[in-house]
Amino acid sequence: MSREHVIEIYQNILDGKAKRFPNNFFIGEEGKMYMKYMTCYLLEERLSISIHEIPYKVKASILWSHRLKSPALIYGWNYYDVIDNAYPGQFKPWEFQQVPHKYWFGEEGRNRAIKAIKYVIENELNIPLEEVPSQVNHHFFKKYNLNGAFNIFGQSPFQAIQAVYPDVFKLWHFAHVPLNCWKDEESIQATMDYFLFEQLSFSSYEEALLRIRKQDFFDYRLTGLFQMAFGSRMQKVKEWIRIRMKCKEKQIEESNNSIIISKC
């Protein structure tokens, strides 16, 4: 059946001139093609929605209210499947204001979230790997309609990226980390050691004690650490460094003593 004939049948149904589609209208691949004709006609011609606007303007209610739900059920399709049938490969589910029901649910939903985040980073935005921590933040998930995926990871950019690129980044590489992170001594020490010796390139705690500045925390976007772990006081930062110096001295002393004992 030609496209024109299919559209004529569909128009008659929408206009109330016919009550139902012909028997066996939606069967096999031919029926899917008819669905494509009708979907494209509905969106582009009857509703005047341009193709690039479809993810922003089309929801399930629009398709279902224009008599496409019953045919979709024949194929077991949700509203996104109907659109993907009409525009194969042009849109991703997460680009729509309304994702299919339970799309982000369970382990399958988590895997979809990982693939979606990775796709946007690598295919849509071409973000270099080293720039991921600075560019993937709360705004990133909102802008690219990935709020559902973001919720899976507790709205933590670090947890989301950890799932996409396991063990590539550290928590402190990100501008926004959970506040309770800075109540954990192991996280504080790991971050401070990286900050002092990798980012600021100090050769020892002794040098760090003499040269560390308040501005350094701001320059390297570690204000959360400075505020939560040290109460925004450089005196506490230096107290922490002195404690680490004493711990290191004690470790050296214990190591030397064990060497002497072994020689005896």
Side-chain angles (χ1 to χ4, degrees):
M1 189 180 298
S2 69
R3 180 184 183 278
E4 290 74 17
H5 192 185
V6 172
I7 298 305
E8 182 182 356
I9 291 172
Y10 186 41
Q11 287 175 329
N12 288 336
I13 290 174
L14 292 178
D15 295 338
K17 297 178 181 178
K19 292 183 178 180
R20 55 192 294 274
F21 292 102
N23 291 335
N24 302 319
F25 194 66
F26 301 104
I27 293 181
E29 295 303 313
E30 190 173 25
K32 293 178 182 179
M33 183 61 69
Y34 297 166
M35 280 288 286
K36 176 177 180 176
Y37 293 157
M38 293 188 300
T39 305
C40 293
Y41 162 76
L42 171 67
L43 300 181
E44 297 177 41
E45 298 181 41
R46 194 169 183 103
L47 300 180
S48 300
I49 298 174
S50 61
I51 294 177
H52 75 274
E53 292 179 313
I54 288 174
Y56 312 106
K57 291 189 175 182
V58 178
K59 296 182 180 180
S61 57
I62 290 179
L63 301 182
W64 300 163
S65 65
H66 288 84
R67 304 293 296 275
L68 292 180
K69 185 171 186 177
S70 294
L73 291 176
I74 293 174
Y75 295 105
W77 288 347
N78 56 46
Y79 92 96
Y80 170 75
D81 295 326
V82 174
I83 293 174
D84 192 51
N85 176 68
Y87 306 94
Q90 291 195 41
F91 307 109
K92 299 296 182 183
W94 61 84
E95 294 178 321
F96 290 80
Q97 301 299 309
Q98 174 191 26
V99 296
H101 183 55
K102 292 188 176 181
Y103 187 77
W104 304 118
F105 184 77
E107 189 62 27
E108 186 177 5
R110 188 178 188 277
N111 291 334
R112 285 171 173 164
I114 291 171
K115 290 179 181 178
I117 296 167
K118 188 172 185 178
Y119 179 87
V120 173
I121 290 173
E122 298 181 2
N123 297 86
E124 289 193 20
L125 302 179
N126 296 313
I127 300 175
L129 189 62
E130 65 274 12
E131 294 182 17
V132 167
S134 62
Q135 294 199 39
V136 178
N137 48 33
H138 289 73
H139 178 68
F140 167 90
F141 290 94
K142 182 177 181 181
K143 182 176 180 179
Y144 295 100
N145 294 328
L146 290 171
N147 284 325
F150 198 29
N151 289 335
I152 290 175
F153 303 105
Q155 296 196 344
S156 166
F158 171 72
Q159 293 298 336
I161 295 304
Q162 173 72 355
V164 178
Y165 305 105
D167 299 323
V168 172
F169 302 104
K170 300 296 184 183
L171 185 61
W172 55 84
H173 290 154
F174 291 78
H176 301 284
V177 300
L179 293 178
N180 60 5
C181 167
W182 305 130
K183 296 179 182 179
D184 176 64
E185 184 56 39
E186 288 186 8
S187 296
I188 294 172
Q189 181 173 337
T191 307
M192 282 295 291
D193 284 349
Y194 181 83
F195 176 48
L196 297 175
F197 304 125
E198 299 295 330
Q199 292 182 304
L200 296 177
S201 299
F202 296 144
S203 60
S204 64
Y205 284 119
E206 287 78 6
E207 182 182 4
L209 183 64
L210 295 173
R211 297 181 57 191
I212 186 73
R213 301 174 305 134
K214 180 178 180 179
Q215 186 60 40
D216 293 331
F217 289 93
F218 292 90
D219 291 344
Y220 288 91
R221 297 184 298 181
L222 286 171
T223 53
L225 169 66
F226 186 51
Q227 292 168 357
M228 300 302 295
F230 304 111
S232 299
R233 296 173 61 189
M234 284 303 295
Q235 179 183 349
K236 288 191 174 183
V237 174
K238 294 187 176 183
E239 286 176 3
W240 184 91
I241 294 175
R242 290 190 183 97
I243 291 172
R244 298 310 309 158
M245 289 168 60
K246 290 179 181 178
C247 289
K248 189 172 182 179
E249 289 173 2
K250 186 177 180 180
Q251 290 173 354
I252 294 173
E253 183 180 347
E254 290 175 350
S255 176
N256 290 337
N257 289 339
S258 65
I259 293 174
I260 293 173
I261 291 173
S262 65
K263 287 183 178 180
C264 294

